[in-house]
Amino acid sequence: MKKKIAIGFLATLLSVPTSGLFAGPLDGQCIALVHGILGFDDTQGLAGGLVKYWGGLDGYLRSQGAKVTTPGSSATNSIPTRASQIQSAVSTWMTANGCSKVHLMGHSQGGLVIRYMVSNLGFSGKTQTVTTINSLHQGAPMADIVLAAIPSWLQPFANSALSLLAKLVYRDGRPQDVIAMGKSLTVSYVKTFNTNSPNKSGIKYYSYGSEMAWADLIQHPIMALTHPITWAGGLYYGLGGGNDGVVPLNSQKWGAWKGTPSSYWFATGIDHLQATNLAWSGQNYYDVQGWYLNIAKNAKAGL
């Protein structure tokens, strides 16, 4: 009798689809995590895999039942160039993984890249939702300040040198254009971009962001240097002083604004790099995995 029960239980167990056994809250969802400037595909990472743009978040979301890709594109280039590269990579991945639609999630310039894909490259039919994270929907004033400091006659030379450096660092064969990248971040450029890249009806747009409490050199060794510049630029352009070290908080809002993460009591906010857990830099200051799980669950629910 016991043998028959055991056999029956085993037969029932084997009849349950594998996806059902290991399903998580994101079961069946297709997600593309799109990096910003100086970014890369986390399949390989940077420095032999020692640096990951998303700090392991792609693997975590997979453990929650999602299918996830982290497509790479030119680390330094214009929005249209990067959007074309990302669209090609995501389309190929979707076909290989049986995804009819995908949740696009872009960080920093990556948020503008995915918006461009949907609005201008005919990708709306394959897009389920658009989520931007610490993106510059009203521009990043620091880009205006930096470009203004480089004389127009010097820009071609600076571009050649810096673009060559980017090619040597990334070694992926993709075209690099540092000046085009910089211009794509300016307040004036993004204003025109918004006019030419309106939201597509039928697709829900969400935005998330973060800010630093102050220029804390201990928690934010890099962003503490840029925070004052972004603060001054934000005030000058009417975007307010609150920022993540690169992008004013008010510039991070697009579509349905879903807010900022709750940092641990000892943290001085969350900066632009910690927002994606770059090189695992954010997980000691806020619940990175919980934050991104909520982002993905919100996209799935379409709230």
Side-chain angles (χ1 to χ4, degrees):
M1 182 67 178
K2 290 183 179 179
K3 185 177 181 180
K4 289 183 179 180
I5 293 175
I7 293 175
F9 174 75
L10 180 61
T12 301
L13 188 64
L14 293 175
S15 69
V16 178
T18 303
S19 59
L21 278 175
F22 301 99
L26 304 178
D27 184 38
Q29 300 304 299
C30 297
I31 298 172
L33 298 175
V34 179
H35 66 74
I37 66 170
L38 305 180
F40 42 86
D41 183 353
D42 271 3
T43 302
Q44 299 296 329
L46 204 62
L50 294 176
V51 179
K52 294 295 184 75
Y53 192 93
W54 298 96
L57 287 170
D58 54 329
Y60 171 71
L61 294 177
R62 290 188 191 102
S63 76
Q64 299 302 303
K67 300 176 182 179
V68 185
T69 183
T70 58
S73 62
S74 293
T76 60
N77 219 311
S78 67
I79 292 170
T81 296
R82 289 196 55 225
S84 178
Q85 295 169 350
I86 292 294
Q87 175 168 294
S88 177
V90 173
S91 294
T92 299
W93 175 82
M94 290 177 68
T95 300
N97 287 272
C99 300
S100 59
K101 288 197 173 185
V102 64
H103 296 288
L104 295 174
M105 300 182 182
H107 171 250
S108 192
Q109 190 205 44
L112 302 187
V113 166
I114 61 177
R115 283 180 51 202
Y116 188 90
M117 284 171 55
V118 173
S119 298
N120 302 292
L121 298 184
F123 205 71
S124 59
K126 294 183 177 181
T127 302
Q128 195 161 349
T129 60
V130 172
T131 298
T132 62
I133 302 160
N134 293 68
S135 291
L136 50 148
H137 300 291
Q138 305 302 326
M142 188 170 69
D144 296 80
I145 295 172
V146 171
L147 285 174
I150 304 176
S152 58
W153 63 268
L154 184 59
Q155 288 189 10
F157 301 100
N159 190 38
S160 296
L162 294 173
S163 297
L164 176 60
L165 178 61
K167 289 181 180 179
L168 293 174
V169 170
Y170 289 90
R171 296 180 178 275
D172 56 14
R174 297 189 179 103
Q176 307 291 342
D177 191 330
V178 173
I179 295 298
M181 174 198 75
K183 290 181 177 179
S184 75
L185 309 178
T186 62
V187 173
S188 59
Y189 178 94
V190 178
K191 183 178 181 179
T192 301
F193 173 87
N194 288 337
T195 300
N196 297 331
S197 304
N199 290 357
K200 283 287 186 178
S201 61
I203 295 178
K204 292 189 175 181
Y205 290 71
Y206 306 102
S207 58
Y208 298 79
S210 68
E211 64 179 322
M212 297 164 56
W214 51 284
D216 172 11
L217 279 168
I218 296 177
Q219 183 185 330
H220 316 284
I222 298 176
M223 296 293 100
L225 304 177
T226 57
H227 180 274
I229 302 173
T230 303
W231 174 82
L235 292 178
Y236 179 81
Y237 285 101
L239 296 172
N243 69 85
D244 63 1
V246 177
V247 184
L249 185 64
N250 287 331
S251 187
Q252 298 172 32
K253 301 175 181 179
W254 189 263
W257 169 245
K258 308 300 285 188
T260 62
S262 297
S263 56
Y264 298 146
W265 66 268
F266 54 83
T268 53
I270 303 301
D271 69 37
H272 195 73
L273 304 180
Q274 293 164 349
T276 67
N277 202 32
L278 176 72
W280 300 275
S281 61
Q283 61 193 28
N284 292 327
Y285 302 106
Y286 74 113
D287 181 8
V288 173
Q289 292 184 344
W291 180 239
Y292 275 82
L293 179 59
N294 285 335
I295 290 175
K297 287 169 68 175
N298 178 79
K300 176 184 176 182
L303 299 176

